Amino acid sequence: MTMGSVPTTMVVGYASLSTRMGVVDAQIATMTRLMERSIRADEQLQVMRTQATKLEERLERLEQW
């Protein structure tokens, strides 16, 4: 009886671990996509700030004329 329960317990434990690892992999993939989106948004925001700064400088030059 004991000899049969040990392999069964090992198989069930491995299946449970495998399922949990699948969930963790999915969460990591989701977090990676979110990080990539956040990085792209930050880059776009930086570009917009640069453009706004240039426009402000042009306006200041025009006002001085």
Side-chain angles (χ1 to χ4, degrees):
M1 180 87 156
T2 303
M3 293 301 283
S5 65
V6 170
T8 303
T9 303
M10 290 174 66
V11 168
V12 170
Y14 177 77
S16 175
L17 178 63
S18 179
T19 302
R20 286 190 224 162
M21 290 302 293
V23 170
V24 169
D25 285 342
Q27 289 175 337
I28 289 172
T30 301
M31 290 173 63
T32 300
R33 284 193 302 274
L34 289 173
M35 290 288 293
E36 288 171 350
R37 287 182 186 172
S38 176
I39 290 169
R40 281 194 296 268
D42 287 344
E43 289 171 349
Q44 290 174 346
L45 181 59
Q46 185 59 38
V47 167
M48 292 172 72
R49 285 180 179 158
T50 301
Q51 290 173 343
T53 301
K54 288 179 181 179
L55 287 173
E56 287 175 359
E57 290 170 357
R58 288 178 69 187
L59 280 173
E60 287 176 9
R61 283 195 306 263
L62 286 172
E63 287 173 350
Q64 289 176 358
W65 274 53

